[in-house]
Amino acid sequence: MLSERRLEVLRAIVQDYVGTEEPVGSKALTERHQLGVSPATVRNDMAVLEDEGFIAQPHTSAGRIPTDKGYRLFVDKLAGVKPLSSPERRAIQNFLDGAVDLDDVVGRTVRLLAQLTRQVAVVQYPSLTRSTVRHVELLSLAPARLMLVLITDTGRVEQRMIDCPAPFGEASLADLRARLNSRVVGRRFADVPRLVRELPESFDSEDRGTVSTVLSTLLETLVEETEERLMIGGTSNLTRFGHDFPVMIRPVLEALEEQVVLLKLLGEATDSAMTVRIGHENAHEGLTSTSVVAVGYGSGDEAVAKLGVVGPTRMDYPGTMGAVRAVARYVGQILAES
Amino acid sequence: MLSERRLEVLRAIVQDYVGTEEPVGSKALTERHQLGVSPATVRNDMAVLEDEGFIAQPHTSAGRIPTDKGYRLFVDKLAGVKPLSSPERRAIQNFLDGAVDLDDVVGRTVRLLAQLTRQVAVVQYPSLTRSTVRHVELLSLAPARLMLVLITDTGRVEQRMIDCPAPFGEASLADLRARLNSRVVGRRFADVPRLVRELPESFDSEDRGTVSTVLSTLLETLVEETEERLMIGGTSNLTRFGHDFPVMIRPVLEALEEQVVLLKLLGEATDSAMTVRIGHENAHEGLTSTSVVAVGYGSGDEAVAKLGVVGPTRMDYPGTMGAVRAVARYVGQILAES
DNA sequence: TCTGGCACTCGGTGCGTACGAGTGCCAGCT
DNA sequence: AGCTGGCACTCGTACGCACCGAGTGCCAGA
């Protein structure tokens, strides 16, 4: 087990390295921090920390930099979550309050997060799986052509065209609309298939085909759109990555373009607890020198989606975690209100 | 006026430089192209081209590279638009045909363009101003709460919440919905304000307030959402920018995050003709070493939005223009079908 | 267990040299 | 008048080399 002071040394190394981007040596450490011991002692501690794999030297006779394992220890044991200043809180609220619709909320959130953390921000749209149905609308565009519009409690709207097997009268349409809504409004998406199963049977045989088509389109929409959408921003912050950045930045940009990868990144977080994945803890190999800080947000108690940031492993974890958590909270509030 | 051969030399310089990314010298030119003259002659021609401002040397005793003016001449006079190969055409069609909704069309288009040109792709959503109304839907969510859904002929859907000044009955709602639709369906957005102006007067005084609120929300939506949305992709292609790229890439990424800037970039193009803006021809100062190739696309004859790519001034203009034009055409077709 | 001292390592920097691609110019040829 | 070969010149890049200094590991002593 590491002594108190050694942990303190590790904390100091992480803090200095995050600040300066340069390997930190024993002398500099004792100068900038009140450790109460001499450089030589610190050197011994560093040797131990290196043996344990928490820090490493880029080359012999350079200072030390934290390893992924070192950051992990720092995040788990040494660092808290730094709360935002109250001007920052006010700024968040003002910025998010002006949003007019869901797209706008998500867009503003992305920009906000990117600005606060000075890193790449990723915000997932509220997921349909955990949402409930606010309304299902059916419109007749042509005699045998319908449009299905699905509205969720989080304000998301999905629409689909439907070509009917047979013309479908206004009366039947109104009937279907009413029955459909009475069954599914307020219910969770996951429950919808069960709730509408026997609906076609109660219609005239001539309409039954169309009703089935409509229902299967609805179910399809539920499934298809469960594949999540997300928005990213702040990519220009990648340029502050470091000196060796041309080689780093490429795979990161590529990873950021693949929604699947990003969704996995955010998605692995279990429920609403904040997740920090550091360096090689990320499965994707383009992201082995980045860290991801993600957290769920939602309109109620339960998380409906995730948001987070992607940055270099050398990041200000307490500050970033504070910003991510705060933004998630406010977005949750906004969604709950609307 | 430049002689035929001098133009030929310029073309050769542009082509070689685009290929190799390195300043091209007189000897290399005569080796790679059948100009039928000696390096010395080419040198003389180069001196003239340099005097006229079409090419420049990065340093004394280096080869020449084209200037913005040189690229301009190349694009205007020396280069055609290179048509795509038929496998490429087929790939485009296959790729775009699978799209399920407007978001999907735009998303696929962006990825396609980025992949074909290996550059950053920008696609503007079909603009509302030139669109027509396909349907307006009003839903009652609570006694005094409505949702307005606006559907355009290009498949775009906008929704807004409305808090009514007074409860609004189902009958009135159906009435308003019917009257509204009969007036505006199939009409252009620009005409809508005129068409609904005197609508409130025909309602009972108790409902008039709500009707006015609904209409003003509708008009607001038309105006607000006329500010265009767009999608970008292929940013990882920026890494192929060149050696000096850390300094170049930053402002470009920043510019790409500002929708306003991008919209201007695409927007200045007059109607549906293809526009190429080279280097300093771009107003934005972060983009002085990039070129923009943009073109309008639309479901009918008229362009409803723009799409294009952003890349280094040193790009393959004929190929890029060919890809951009082809993609625009196919997207237009897809939109017309849906 | 901490500290001061000391020898050692090695990456970064600055300088001088050599190299070579590329140019401009000029005299001569067609 | 226009093209070509030859030639001197420029200058950016690569290479070698020595030096400096930050940082380390180790050890003997408090």
Side-chain angles (χ1 to χ4, degrees):
Chain A
M1 191 47 212
L2 292 168
S3 75
E4 194 58 36
R5 195 190 59 224
R6 297 215 170 113
L7 291 175
E8 199 53 43
V9 169
L10 177 59
R11 161 186 281 145
I13 291 174
V14 171
Q15 284 174 353
D16 276 23
Y17 183 62
V18 167
T20 63
E21 297 192 30
E22 268 165 23
V24 19
S26 54
K27 196 173 158 210
L29 259 198
T30 54
E31 279 165 6
R32 267 203 287 266
H33 301 263
Q34 279 74 37
L35 294 170
V37 292
S38 76
T41 308
V42 171
R43 278 204 288 282
N44 289 330
D45 291 345
M46 283 172 141
V48 175
L49 286 170
E50 184 162 9
D51 279 348
E52 305 281 337
F54 295 112
I55 56 178
Q57 327 187 49
H59 353 270
T60 327
S61 102
R64 307 304 216 290
I65 63 176
T67 60
D68 290 352
K69 191 177 167 194
Y71 286 123
R72 169 53 59 203
L73 183 60
F74 176 80
V75 168
D76 288 347
K77 298 281 163 56
L78 302 173
V81 175
K82 188 171 137 207
L84 297 190
S85 67
S86 54
E88 279 173 320
R89 294 175 171 281
R90 251 177 287 127
I92 293 181
Q93 203 142 21
N94 287 339
F95 193 63
L96 289 182
D97 270 351
V100 299
D101 64 7
L102 183 65
D103 268 332
D104 201 19
V105 170
V106 174
R108 280 165 187 255
T109 306
V110 156
R111 267 172 290 159
L112 187 61
L113 250 188
Q115 212 176 312
L116 281 173
T117 62
R118 307 196 28 113
Q119 270 151 6
V120 180
V122 184
V123 178
Q124 181 185 3
Y125 278 71
S127 145
L128 292 189
T129 33
R130 299 192 196 160
S131 306
T132 59
V133 178
R134 180 179 275 163
H135 189 87
V136 177
E137 186 57 37
L138 281 170
L139 313 175
S140 174
L141 300 179
R145 194 134 203 241
L146 300 179
M147 176 179 254
L148 173 73
V149 180
L150 175 69
I151 302 167
T152 78
D153 63 335
T154 51
R156 192 156 156 182
V157 178
E158 295 295 334
Q159 86 277 11
R160 282 287 182 286
M161 292 301 173
I162 304 175
D163 286 312
C164 312
F168 199 59
E170 265 307 323
S172 309
L173 188 67
D175 187 24
L176 175 56
R177 174 164 42 210
R179 288 209 230 169
L180 204 49
N181 275 292
S182 72
R183 280 170 197 242
V184 302
V185 167
R187 313 306 290 262
R188 295 179 152 245
F189 279 37
D191 301 331
V192 170
R194 186 170 47 74
L195 293 166
V196 300
R197 193 173 303 135
E198 77 295 355
L199 208 48
E201 296 160 20
S202 59
F203 279 81
D204 291 348
S205 64
E206 55 182 310
D207 286 340
R208 215 167 282 162
T210 298
V211 171
S212 295
T213 310
V214 169
L215 292 183
S216 65
T217 306
L218 174 61
L219 299 185
E220 229 172 67
T221 307
L222 296 180
V223 173
E224 263 179 29
E225 289 301 312
T226 299
E227 65 176 56
E228 328 278 1
R229 293 175 56 205
L230 38 77
M231 192 177 273
I232 80 172
T235 45
S236 64
N237 290 323
L238 285 177
T239 53
R240 297 185 302 97
F241 222 76
H243 358 63
D244 47 350
F245 108 167
V247 59
M248 315 295 265
I249 212 177
R250 172 65 165 283
V252 178
L253 274 174
E254 276 170 4
L256 291 178
E257 293 206 347
E258 296 203 39
Q259 303 236 336
V260 192
V261 173
L262 282 180
L263 285 170
K264 246 192 201 152
L265 228 54
L266 294 180
E268 277 168 21
T270 52
D271 60 15
S272 67
M274 181 139 40
T275 321
V276 180
R277 212 155 318 103
I278 298 171
H280 293 82
E281 296 169 14
N282 290 303
H284 191 81
E285 67 171 317
L287 299 174
T288 47
S289 54
T290 63
S291 287
V292 178
V293 177
V295 70
Y297 70 92
S299 48
D301 328 327
E302 205 174 357
V304 293
K306 304 265 163 64
L307 57 78
V309 303
V310 179
T313 48
R314 169 191 44 67
M315 69 161 71
D316 167 21
Y317 290 95
T320 304
M321 290 165 80
V324 168
R325 182 202 273 171
V327 170
R329 252 179 221 163
Y330 283 107
V331 176
Q333 279 181 25
I334 299 281
L335 286 183
E337 286 165 16
S338 67
Chain B
M1 192 47 215
L2 292 168
S3 76
E4 194 58 37
R5 197 191 55 225
R6 298 219 169 110
L7 291 175
E8 199 51 45
V9 169
L10 178 57
R11 159 186 283 145
I13 292 174
V14 171
Q15 284 174 354
D16 276 23
Y17 183 62
V18 166
T20 64
E21 297 192 34
E22 268 167 22
V24 19
S26 53
K27 195 171 160 213
L29 259 198
T30 54
E31 280 165 4
R32 269 202 286 264
H33 301 263
Q34 279 72 38
L35 295 172
V37 291
S38 76
T41 308
V42 171
R43 279 205 289 281
N44 289 330
D45 291 345
M46 285 172 139
V48 175
L49 287 169
E50 183 162 11
D51 279 348
E52 305 281 338
F54 294 113
I55 55 178
Q57 326 187 50
H59 354 270
T60 324
S61 102
R64 307 302 217 288
I65 62 176
T67 59
D68 290 351
K69 193 178 166 192
Y71 285 123
R72 169 52 60 201
L73 182 61
F74 176 79
V75 169
D76 288 348
K77 298 280 163 57
L78 302 173
V81 174
K82 187 170 139 207
L84 297 190
S85 67
S86 55
E88 279 173 320
R89 295 175 170 281
R90 249 177 288 125
I92 293 181
Q93 203 142 22
N94 287 340
F95 193 62
L96 289 183
D97 269 351
V100 300
D101 64 6
L102 183 65
D103 268 332
D104 201 17
V105 171
V106 174
R108 280 165 186 256
T109 306
V110 154
R111 268 173 290 160
L112 186 61
L113 250 188
Q115 212 176 312
L116 281 173
T117 62
R118 308 195 29 110
Q119 270 150 6
V120 179
V122 184
V123 179
Q124 181 185 2
Y125 278 71
S127 145
L128 292 190
T129 34
R130 299 190 197 162
S131 308
T132 59
V133 178
R134 179 178 276 163
H135 189 87
V136 177
E137 185 56 38
L138 281 171
L139 314 174
S140 175
L141 301 178
R145 194 133 203 240
L146 300 179
M147 176 178 257
L148 173 74
V149 180
L150 175 70
I151 302 166
T152 79
D153 63 334
T154 51
R156 193 156 154 184
V157 178
E158 295 295 334
Q159 87 277 12
R160 283 287 182 286
M161 293 301 172
I162 304 176
D163 286 311
C164 311
F168 199 59
E170 263 309 322
S172 309
L173 188 67
D175 187 22
L176 175 56
R177 175 165 39 208
R179 288 210 230 169
L180 204 48
N181 275 293
S182 72
R183 281 172 195 243
V184 302
V185 167
R187 314 306 291 261
R188 294 178 155 246
F189 279 38
D191 301 331
V192 170
R194 187 170 47 76
L195 292 166
V196 302
R197 194 172 303 135
E198 76 295 355
L199 208 49
E201 295 160 21
S202 58
F203 279 80
D204 291 348
S205 63
E206 55 182 309
D207 285 341
R208 215 167 283 162
T210 297
V211 172
S212 295
T213 309
V214 169
L215 291 183
S216 65
T217 305
L218 174 60
L219 299 186
E220 230 171 67
T221 307
L222 296 180
V223 174
E224 265 179 28
E225 290 300 313
T226 299
E227 64 173 58
E228 328 280 4
R229 293 175 57 204
L230 36 78
M231 190 176 274
I232 80 173
T235 45
S236 64
N237 290 323
L238 285 177
T239 53
R240 296 185 302 97
F241 223 76
H243 1 64
D244 47 350
F245 108 169
V247 61
M248 315 294 264
I249 212 177
R250 173 65 165 284
V252 178
L253 274 174
E254 276 170 3
L256 290 178
E257 294 208 345
E258 295 204 39
Q259 304 235 336
V260 193
V261 173
L262 281 179
L263 285 171
K264 248 194 202 149
L265 230 53
L266 294 180
E268 277 167 22
T270 52
D271 61 14
S272 68
M274 180 140 43
T275 320
V276 179
R277 213 156 316 103
I278 299 169
H280 293 82
E281 297 169 13
N282 291 303
H284 191 80
E285 66 170 318
L287 300 174
T288 48
S289 53
T290 63
S291 287
V292 178
V293 177
V295 70
Y297 70 92
S299 48
D301 328 327
E302 205 174 358
V304 295
K306 305 264 164 63
L307 57 77
V309 304
V310 179
T313 48
R314 169 190 45 66
M315 70 162 69
D316 168 21
Y317 290 95
T320 304
M321 290 165 80
V324 168
R325 183 202 272 170
V327 170
R329 252 178 222 162
Y330 283 108
V331 177
Q333 279 180 26
I334 299 281
L335 286 183
E337 285 164 17
S338 67

